Amino acid sequence: MTEVLMENVFHARDFLVAELQKYNPIALIATSVIVTYVCTNLRHMQLDDIGIRKRLSSWFFTTVKKVPFIRKMIDKQLDEVKGELEKSLKIEDHTAEYFKTIPTRSVGRKEVLRLAAIYDSLEGPAYLDGRVSGAVFNTEDDNDEREMYEQVFGKFAWSNPLWPKLFPGVRIMEAEVVRMCCNMMNGDSNTCGTMSTGGSISILLACLAHRNRLLKRGQKYTEMIVPSSVHAAFFKAAETFKIKVRKIPVDPVTFKVDIVKMRSAINSRTCMLVGSAPNFPFGTVDDIEAIGQLGLEYDIPVHVDACLGGFLLPFLEEDAIRYDFRVPGVSSISADSHKYGLAPKGSSVVLYRNKELLHNQYFCDADWQGGIYASATMEGSRAGHNIALCWAAMLYYAQDGYKANAKKIVDTTRKIRDGLSKIKGIKLQGPSDVCIVSWTTDSGVELYRFHNYMKERHWQLNGLQFPSGVHIMVTMNHTQPGLAESFIADCQAAADFVRQNPVTESDKKSEAAIYGLAQSIPDRSLVHEFAHSYLDAVYALPK
């Protein structure tokens, strides 16, 4: 049997040699090199953070956009959109002079305060009246609290925790904030973490840490598995740290991530699994216990994004939601103290189950000519006053204050949810039982017109996509007496108006319509151009 097999192998070899001798050796070598190069690059593209499909799509649309008449049409549309976006930012003259160079001489304290008062008066929708979704979480009506922050800021305005020996007070404050948050999340003596300037940075730091953990184990390419509803900061982290994202859809009924599909996406390159508590679009808390079990089974860190719920869920009397370090498998948690922690902007924490995980976040250059350089976060210098203000807020509100606020937030959320559920044409997305009420509309009520009507009534809501929808993130400003009832009544009026009145030209050009149109564009790079126009407008001064 072996002899027959070997004879066949020799025959095949001789046949192959004879066939190859018919071709030019240089051509054979060149073909082999080219094929190997192409296959290797295709393999790299398959494994890297962009992927073959996205690269091919980008190449196709980039090529199409180079056609002159198509480019002209696109530029015309971009100019129109840019004009509407600039109009939405209200870029217009408010003072006689705008500073475009540093003044030659000081304008003096009095003039600085006069100009600051003018800019302070420009603040947009009346968020303190409860007309804005999210954004500002504190009612700002406590003069004692404001004066406390002003004094704390004055004491630590120039402090910098990069120099812990120069500013030991700020160092201790940060350590206290981290320890209080670890205990709030039911950690133990091994639980640890750092502060950051906001939820996005906390998320980036967690992604960096878990990516580094897998790189140290010899894996060249890394992937994270996230729900489709996860915060955009995870995609920013993926782009920054070259992590491929595997996006798992949420269940169309519960709006929680599909655990079965999450399991099927796991492979040797998976550096982290992610769940939200709750997520931003729908306000639902993913099944963190099930995700934690996956993490334990496959030895993969699980990160819980509790930037929204971090200072709400721990203080709810009903203790059915499990999302913190009590859940086996949970490795890290991000939570924003400047949201429902009610601290002034911007502060957040990222917490880890142990120092082994945290150390993957640290940076150290042992060979820098300026000396050994080490930092715990992305930043070098940090604003000590952010840490001090967060510390002050946590001591000022304490557990009693956070419990009372959490009850008000949840009660108001459910009141709005129950009211909207009775309006014809509105369909809720998810249970809406923590701090966000999310909904879409049926065919009889065009969503973008509904959204635009609410804007005209001075309600600033968040537009959603895939699927289309809107939500309101409830803050302490929405808990004022009668505010929820007023909002429900305006939603009813909006639905009735849209159902009973035809579309107008102004409807088609509204900001909400532009937002709705954006999700139907197959070339997502065009949406990027729209977004870039908006960001450019943010930095524009009146002409």
Side-chain angles (χ1 to χ4, degrees):
M1 182 69 178
T2 304
E3 292 178 357
V4 173
L5 178 62
M6 292 302 297
E7 185 177 351
N8 289 335
V9 170
F10 289 140
H11 279 309
R13 182 198 63 185
D14 294 340
F15 174 78
L16 183 62
V17 170
E19 286 297 313
L20 290 176
Q21 286 177 343
K22 299 177 182 178
Y23 300 96
N24 187 314
I26 296 177
L28 284 175
I29 294 172
T31 301
S32 299
V33 170
I34 292 171
V35 170
T36 302
Y37 175 81
V38 170
C39 291
T40 301
N41 275 275
L42 286 174
R43 177 61 174 165
H44 285 315
M45 284 191 280
Q46 180 188 6
L47 295 176
D48 70 12
D49 58 305
I50 299 176
I52 296 176
R53 182 178 177 181
K54 194 171 181 180
R55 288 181 188 276
L56 290 175
S57 175
S58 176
W59 171 83
F60 173 77
F61 285 116
T62 299
T63 303
V64 170
K65 285 187 294 187
K66 288 180 180 178
V67 178
F69 82 92
I70 293 179
R71 185 69 251 179
K72 188 175 181 179
M73 290 171 57
I74 291 172
D75 289 341
K76 182 181 178 181
Q77 284 292 116
L78 282 174
D79 288 341
E80 290 179 5
V81 170
K82 184 177 180 180
E84 289 297 323
L85 292 174
E86 288 182 352
K87 189 186 300 182
S88 73
L89 287 171
K90 299 179 180 177
I91 300 175
E92 55 193 44
D93 289 335
H94 294 287
T95 67
E97 179 183 1
Y98 289 89
F99 292 94
K100 297 183 180 179
T101 59
I102 299 174
T104 305
R105 297 179 180 82
S106 172
V107 300
R109 175 181 179 274
K110 186 176 180 179
E111 178 64 4
V112 168
L113 294 177
R114 185 189 72 81
L115 291 169
I118 293 174
Y119 291 126
D120 180 55
S121 69
L122 302 182
E123 290 190 350
Y127 59 83
L128 293 180
D129 294 340
R131 314 292 292 190
V132 178
S133 171
V136 178
F137 293 79
N138 199 310
T139 57
E140 300 184 21
D141 58 358
D142 186 335
N143 289 330
D144 287 343
E145 182 183 8
R146 180 186 290 272
E147 290 174 5
M148 175 190 71
Y149 291 143
E150 288 173 354
Q151 291 187 36
V152 170
F153 178 87
K155 293 178 184 298
F156 296 94
W158 286 277
S159 61
N160 182 357
L162 180 63
W163 303 91
K165 294 180 181 178
L166 288 180
F167 303 105
V170 165
R171 181 196 68 77
I172 295 171
M173 285 175 166
E174 181 171 19
E176 289 183 0
V177 167
V178 169
R179 182 47 46 195
M180 286 190 283
C181 290
C182 287
N183 290 330
M184 180 176 71
M185 296 297 178
N186 290 292
D188 55 25
S189 59
N190 293 318
T191 314
C192 50
T194 66
M195 289 187 67
S196 78
T197 54
S200 290
I201 298 300
S202 289
I203 288 169
L204 260 72
L205 289 170
C207 293
L208 173 67
H210 297 319
R211 184 210 65 169
N212 287 347
R213 172 182 176 272
L214 195 57
L215 290 179
K216 291 176 182 177
R217 295 186 171 195
Q219 183 57 252
K220 183 177 180 181
Y221 297 100
T222 58
E223 300 177 359
M224 66 168 89
I225 301 176
V226 306
S228 60
S229 58
V230 82
H231 194 275
F234 286 94
F235 301 98
K236 182 185 288 187
E239 185 176 303
T240 304
F241 303 131
K242 299 296 181 184
I243 306 171
K244 185 173 183 176
V245 179
R246 289 191 176 270
K247 192 162 55 172
I248 308 301
V250 296
D251 184 275
V253 176
T254 66
F255 289 88
K256 297 183 179 185
V257 67
D258 188 318
I259 299 299
V260 174
K261 291 181 179 178
M262 179 172 271
R263 175 188 289 274
S264 66
I266 293 174
N267 58 50
S268 61
R269 299 181 295 277
T270 305
C271 68
M272 64 190 295
L273 307 174
V274 178
S276 303
N279 61 49
F280 178 85
F282 314 113
T284 51
V285 179
D286 289 313
D287 189 345
I288 303 302
E289 290 181 293
I291 299 173
Q293 285 301 311
L294 289 180
L296 289 176
E297 182 179 342
Y298 292 94
D299 188 26
I300 299 171
V302 172
H303 179 77
V304 177
D305 175 22
C307 286
L308 277 178
F311 281 79
L312 279 179
L313 297 178
F315 302 105
L316 297 180
E317 294 299 330
E318 52 205 67
D319 202 28
I321 301 175
R322 286 287 190 273
Y323 64 95
D324 56 20
F325 288 118
R326 289 174 295 180
V327 177
V330 169
S331 307
S332 57
I333 302 173
S334 50
D336 282 2
S337 45
H338 68 197
K339 286 191 174 75
Y340 294 103
L342 303 180
K345 303 288 184 181
S347 62
S348 175
V349 294
V350 55
L351 310 173
Y352 296 91
R353 188 172 285 276
N354 53 53
K355 284 188 172 63
E356 181 182 356
L357 292 167
L358 171 62
H359 288 176
N360 292 313
Q361 175 185 300
Y362 289 170
F363 171 81
C364 178
D365 187 343
D367 303 314
W368 183 42
Q369 288 186 319
I372 299 173
Y373 181 94
S375 65
T377 65
M378 296 289 288
E379 304 96 337
S381 291
R382 291 186 290 152
H385 60 75
N386 282 347
I387 294 169
L389 291 171
C390 174
W391 173 87
M394 292 176 68
L395 297 184
Y396 184 81
Y397 281 98
Q399 292 189 39
D400 288 344
Y402 287 135
K403 284 180 181 177
N405 290 343
K407 186 177 188 308
K408 290 179 182 178
I409 293 292
V410 172
D411 288 349
T412 301
T413 300
R414 295 174 181 179
K415 180 184 290 187
I416 293 174
R417 174 200 65 189
D418 294 343
L420 295 190
S421 68
K422 300 172 184 176
I423 298 176
K424 182 182 178 181
I426 287 182
K427 180 183 178 182
L428 293 173
Q429 300 185 124
S432 298
D433 57 355
V434 180
C435 61
I436 286 176
V437 183
S438 177
W439 69 95
T440 187
T441 58
D442 62 25
S443 57
V445 180
E446 293 95 341
L447 183 69
Y448 78 88
R449 293 183 63 211
F450 175 95
H451 195 173
N452 196 52
Y453 181 94
M454 293 298 288
K455 184 180 178 182
E456 291 175 354
R457 289 290 185 98
H458 307 293
W459 294 102
Q460 186 168 305
L461 307 177
N462 293 104
L464 311 175
Q465 59 179 352
F466 309 122
S468 300
V470 290
H471 84 208
I472 182 169
M473 183 185 297
V474 176
T475 71
M476 291 302 296
N477 293 299
H478 299 111
T479 64
Q480 303 171 44
L483 200 289
E485 290 81 357
S486 176
F487 178 74
I488 294 167
D490 279 350
C491 285
Q492 177 70 70
D496 293 342
F497 176 85
V498 172
R499 192 182 300 108
Q500 298 166 7
N501 293 274
V503 180
T504 66
E505 285 302 314
S506 61
D507 285 336
K508 296 177 182 179
K509 294 182 179 180
S510 68
E511 186 180 356
I514 292 172
Y515 194 90
L517 173 67
Q519 62 185 300
S520 66
I521 298 174
D523 179 9
R524 305 312 290 170
S525 69
L526 283 178
V527 182
H528 288 200
E529 291 191 51
F530 292 154
H532 293 171
S533 294
Y534 178 80
L535 294 174
D536 287 342
V538 168
Y539 287 92
L541 288 173
K543 297 177 183 177

